[in-house]
Amino acid sequence: MVGQTEITGIFVERLAEIGEFFDGTGRVHQAMRRIADRLQAAGIRYAIIGGMAVNAHRHSRTTMDVDFLLSPDGLRELRRCAAANEFDPVPGRTRRFIDRPTGITFDALVAGMFPGNGTAGPIAFPEPATVSTEIDGLHVVDLPTLIQLKLAAHRYQDFADVINLIRANGLDDRFRDKLHPSVQSDYIECIEEMRREDDYEARQDRASE
C-alpha cells in the first residue's frame, strides 16, 4: 500500500516536472530537441506534431511524449540509424522509440497513414516537407494541418486541443476555409463550444461580483 509520505513525494516530484515542462527545460523538451537534431543530421525530413505542436502553436499543456511526422522513407532511415542515435525501438510498437538519455518515448506518424484509429478516410497524414513551419528553430506542423488532423482523429482530447488552439490563436469561423470539407462542420462545433465556455465563464464572473 502506498503511504501518505510516498504520495506527497510523488506529487511534489510531478509538480517539479510540470514546472520544468512549462519553462522548457524538462525531459520532454530535451528529448524533442535531441531527436530533431539527430533527424536533421541524418537528412530525415520531419515535422513535430501532437501535443508538442499544440504547445508550439500557443496553447500550453503538458504531455509525456513527442510525435514526429515522417515520410515512409524517413521512418525506414530512422529505424536503420536508431541504435547509433541512442534510440531504442519499443517491442511490439513498430513506430515507437525511446530516447535513451531522457527515457522519453516518441512516435513516428507516417505520411499516407490515417489519423485516429487508422481507418482509411478523406484525410491522411501529409508529407512533412509540405506542411512544416519553423518555430523556435524546430520544424513544426503548421496550424491548419494540426487542426485538420486533430479533427479527423475525432477523439475527445483532440477536440479539446482544437478548442484551445482556436482560443489561443484568435481564430474565427473563416478559418474553416483552410480545412478539408470533411472536418469543417466539426471545426464550427468547436468554435461554438468555445463560445459556450466563454459565456459560462462570463456568467460566473458576473455572479461573483
Side-chain angles (χ1 to χ4, degrees):
M1 187 177 226
V2 179
Q4 185 61 45
T5 300
E6 187 173 352
I7 291 173
T8 301
I10 293 171
F11 179 63
V12 170
E13 183 178 334
R14 180 60 182 145
L15 285 178
E17 288 179 353
I18 291 170
E20 290 174 349
F21 182 92
F22 285 124
D23 68 18
T25 63
R27 291 185 303 128
V28 177
H29 283 84
Q30 293 172 29
M32 177 179 66
R33 291 193 173 276
R34 265 181 40 79
I35 298 160
D37 286 346
R38 299 302 188 274
L39 294 174
Q40 190 84 16
I44 300 172
R45 295 287 189 94
Y46 75 89
I48 294 164
I49 200 167
M52 293 306 286
V54 171
N55 278 273
H57 285 290
R58 301 182 180 177
H59 173 59
S60 298
R61 73 161 175 86
T62 59
T63 182
M64 297 302 293
D65 56 16
V66 190
D67 296 322
F68 289 88
L69 177 62
L70 305 178
S71 68
D73 286 344
L75 177 59
R76 284 190 287 271
E77 181 64 17
L78 171 60
R79 287 173 175 154
R80 189 190 68 78
C81 66
N85 282 331
E86 301 181 331
F87 306 146
D88 293 320
V90 174
R93 302 297 295 267
T94 58
R95 294 179 288 104
R96 178 167 293 176
F97 303 83
I98 298 173
D99 177 54
R100 276 183 232 143
T102 61
I104 295 297
T105 60
F106 66 98
D107 286 337
L109 303 176
V110 183
M113 299 183 71
F114 299 94
N117 61 13
T119 302
I123 297 173
F125 288 111
E127 290 286 336
T130 66
V131 295
S132 69
T133 186
E134 187 169 325
I135 300 176
D136 196 23
L138 296 166
H139 298 293
V140 181
V141 69
D142 62 40
L143 185 58
T145 303
L146 178 61
I147 287 177
Q148 180 166 283
L149 289 171
K150 283 190 165 291
L151 292 172
H154 225 260
R155 296 175 297 204
Y156 289 120
Q157 179 60 62
D158 292 310
F159 276 29
D161 282 339
V162 171
I163 291 168
N164 287 309
L165 287 166
I166 290 168
R167 181 181 287 112
N169 291 276
L171 306 181
D172 60 21
D173 300 48
R174 292 170 295 179
F175 190 83
R176 71 179 166 189
D177 295 333
K178 298 183 179 182
L179 307 175
H180 191 278
S182 66
V183 297
Q184 288 182 357
S185 62
D186 289 325
Y187 174 79
I188 294 301
E189 177 57 31
C190 287
I191 284 267
E192 292 172 352
E193 178 60 25
M194 181 197 70
R195 289 169 179 160
R196 287 191 290 267
E197 291 177 3
D198 291 347
D199 287 344
Y200 174 80
E201 291 294 332
R203 289 196 302 272
Q204 293 295 103
D205 290 342
R206 288 195 296 271
S208 63
E209 290 176 352

